[in-house]
Structures are given as C-alpha cells and as structure tokens.
Amino acid sequence: MKNKFDSLKKENEANQKGVQEIITNLNNIQEETKRISLVAKNVNIIISDLDKQFESATKLKKVDIVFLFLATALQITRQYLLAKSTNNAFGMENRPNDKEAAKKADGPFKHIMQEKYHIDNRESHFYHISVEEIWSKPVPFDVQSGSTNFGINMGGGNYHRLATAGHDPILGWIFGTANIATRTVTTLPTFESFHVKYGNNFFTRSGEQSKRAMDFMSNHAQTSKVLQYGITNRILHPSKDRNLEILISALAMEAIHLKSDYSSRRSLSLPFAGLSPTIAKKASDMGIDMASVGHISKQVGIAVTVNTIVSLLHRLLILSTEEIMNTNLLQVRTNKIITYSNTIATASNLAYIGATAALKGAPDMKALDIGGFLVTLYKLISSVNFQNKVKEEFLEKEFYNKVMNE
C-alpha cells in the first residue's frame, strides 16, 4: 500500500537526479569553457600549426618534381621549335617579301583568270567591274600612282598599307571588299575615296607625265557610293548583273590579299592603326604588326596547351595513386608545378636573349618568347590568388573544427 512517504521518496530521488544533471552540465560547461579559453589563449599557435599543415599538404613531392622537370622541358622545347620555325614572324628578315607572300596566298582560280583576261576587257564605268577583272588584276587599293595629283602621300612601298582602309585587318573586310567591287581606293585616316583607272594619264613625283601605263588614281569617288554600289546594292539585288558573284569574288580577293600581306615583311598594321598615321608608322618600324601579334598568339596557345596537358596528367596520376580528401589542395600542388615551370622557362629565355645581345651585339628576336612571358605572368597572379583562397578556406574549416572540437 502506497503512502505519502513513498511519493516524497520518489520526488526526492527525482530532485536529486535533476540536481546531478545540473551539476554534470555545469562541469561540462566549465570544461568546455576551459577548452575554449585554451584555444583563444593559443590561437596564434593553433593558426601557425594549421598553416604548417597546409604547407605540408601542398608541398611538392618527388612525383611532383618529376612533373616540374617535364613541364619545364616541354616549355623550353616549345620555345626552341618556335624560334627555329620557318614561319617565325618576329623580325622582318624572317618573313617573305611581297612577291613570295603573294605567290603563296594566290588561289589557282586567280591564275586561270589571269590567262584568259585582257586589259581591253576592263570596265570603263565608275563603280562597275567584272568578275574576270577582279580575279585578274591587282586589288585597286594597292595603287600609289596618281596620288600626287591629289596631294596624297601613300607612304611608298613600305607604308602604303597604312594609308588605305582596304589593308586594315578589320576595316578591310568592309572597305576593301567594296573597293574591289567598285575599282576604287579609300584612304586613311580621311576615308576619302578615288576611282582607279589603267593608263599613263597621270604625273609622276618628278612632275612629268608617266611613260608607262599602270593603275592610277584618276578621279574623286564618293565613299558612300563605294559602299552602296560595292556592297549594299549587290546584297539587295543579287541576281542583277552578276552582283552576288561579284561580291563573293571581291570578298574572296580581299581574304587572299590580307592573307598575303599578313605574312609579308611589312605585314598588316594593327586594327585601326591607320587612323593615326604617325603611330602606325612607328609601330610598323618597330615590328609591331599583325604578324608579330599572330606569332605571340601562337606562343600563348602552345604554352597554355603544354600547361593543360601537364596539369591533366599530374592530377590523374596523383588521384590514382594517393588518397586525396581535398582536391583543392591537389590543385595547389598542380598550380605550383605549372607556375614554377613557366617561370624557369621564361627566365632561361630572357637569359638567352641577354646573352645573344652581349655576344652578338643584338638580341636574337626570333627566340624571344613574349607569349610565354604573358602566360607566366598570368599564372603567377592566378596561382597566388587561388592558393590564397584555398588556404583561407582550409584555415577557416580547420579552425572551426578546433573550436567545435570536431
């Protein structure tokens, strides 16, 4: 039979249990407070230890060193092969002359038309031309004769490409195509246009009438009409007077001509450079042109390809042979290999250029690896940023685990 003492006993036991739980919780809180206090007191030591853990986790190992030598060897080999390439575009002496470049660029259709076409068949009307004439005659914006009649300096053989819109790598696709389709030339930086005729009815620089017949600038043309008759009307009325065929032929000839001039000694100027003739001339004399830009782009492309191949091979090998918990830490190791190899290759290239300058009196510009230098600079910046980001995430996560005792 239950009595009030039994209920009091149970109540007392419950109270004792509650007190014991409170005491236990207080002890746990006290211990946790001591631990947190210890963590706070030694935060610098803990962060230093975590920093060492990060450095250890991203430190290059023997297999990484092998890949470092491989990447460096590939980059130096790339530099050597590009320097020895017959298509090396650094330095005008490494490029073919205008005739050699034109011979390589000319299509077979052009040679067939040249055999069939005679100068007497040439169109006589302004803004009109035939398909046969397009494929048989030089592009009209190569003309220089007769320019003195209009007080225009076409720059001579070395600089005439800077003075015409048809030779601009971007403007040429519009104005050059329109010039070919209308037998005109549009000059820079004024965008004045002139009709081109064949004959000797012009004065030479000495002030005498020419004794030899050739293409020459004969009359002013309206640039708006050059674009209208050369492109717009031919698109709007493709079936009339072989308009579409003429437009396609003019566009093809523009492509052939730009390709020819691109690889020649003076190459093409940088896009829109002709809008500032003084700057364009200085850049041309320094070899800063489309051929150099193209070669630098090739250097960049091959350097990036080598980096990508080494990166993929390194990650595949490590992931298949090591237990990697954090792939970002592996990426830091890979980035170190790529960055170190690029830096070593660039340093050796600059040392070689300096040595040739000292021994021969002039640097070996064919071997200058500007593209590789740009890739190295980018990798240095991007790798440091990536490593700092990964390190920050690593420290935050591990410090959180320390504080939370996980």
Side-chain angles (χ1 to χ4, degrees), residues 224-292:
S224 60
K225 287 188 176 181
V226 169
L227 296 175
Q228 177 186 346
Y229 289 110
I231 296 179
T232 306
N233 287 357
R234 299 192 189 281
I235 294 176
L236 295 177
H237 309 287
S239 60
K240 181 181 179 181
D241 298 328
R242 302 175 72 183
N243 276 343
L244 183 60
E245 190 177 353
I246 289 173
L247 180 60
I248 293 174
S249 297
L251 186 62
M253 277 298 296
E254 174 67 17
I256 291 173
H257 193 77
L258 288 180
K259 179 182 178 182
S260 168
D261 286 352
Y262 168 85
S263 59
S264 63
R265 286 179 183 168
R266 280 286 169 177
S267 190
L268 299 172
S269 65
L270 299 181
F272 308 109
L275 299 178
S276 178
T278 302
I279 296 177
K281 183 177 181 298
K282 289 181 179 179
S284 177
D285 290 338
M286 295 171 63
I288 303 175
D289 50 32
M290 288 302 297
S292 295

Side-chain angles (χ1 to χ4, degrees), residues 103-261:
K103 187 176 181 180
K104 291 181 180 179
D106 284 351
F109 185 63
K110 181 177 180 179
H111 292 296
I112 295 174
M113 284 294 187
Q114 282 177 337
E115 294 176 0
K116 294 182 177 180
Y117 183 79
H118 191 273
I119 193 63
D120 294 336
N121 298 324
R122 196 166 200 178
E123 289 276 355
S124 58
H125 301 294
F126 287 155
Y127 306 107
H128 287 271
I129 199 169
S130 66
V131 173
E132 291 75 17
E133 182 178 346
I134 289 175
W135 284 103
S136 303
K137 298 295 294 180
V139 293
F141 50 82
D142 257 351
V143 68
Q144 296 183 56
S145 300
S147 59
T148 54
N149 295 349
F150 302 96
I152 296 175
N153 181 9
M154 297 297 286
N158 287 335
Y159 303 108
H160 76 280
R161 292 170 190 163
L162 308 178
T164 55
H167 286 105
D168 187 276
I170 294 179
L171 296 175
W173 292 101
I174 298 174
F175 288 93
T177 301
N179 288 149
I180 294 172
T182 56
R183 201 190 310 102
T184 57
V185 54
T186 301
T187 60
L188 291 177
T190 59
F191 288 97
E192 287 184 278
S193 295
F194 301 87
H195 293 288
V196 175
K197 286 186 176 181
Y198 181 83
N200 65 341
N201 190 26
F202 64 93
F203 294 99
T204 63
R205 291 182 180 179
S206 62
E208 299 177 354
Q209 184 172 343
S210 176
K211 297 179 181 179
R212 187 163 63 96
M214 62 184 69
D215 284 348
F216 68 97
M217 296 166 61
S218 63
N219 305 82
H220 278 285
Q222 295 183 34
T223 303
S224 60
K225 287 188 176 181
V226 169
L227 296 175
Q228 177 186 346
Y229 289 110
I231 296 179
T232 306
N233 287 357
R234 299 192 189 281
I235 294 176
L236 295 177
H237 309 287
S239 60
K240 181 181 179 181
D241 298 328
R242 302 175 72 183
N243 276 343
L244 183 60
E245 190 177 353
I246 289 173
L247 180 60
I248 293 174
S249 297
L251 186 62
M253 277 298 296
E254 174 67 17
I256 291 173
H257 193 77
L258 288 180
K259 179 182 178 182
S260 168
D261 286 352

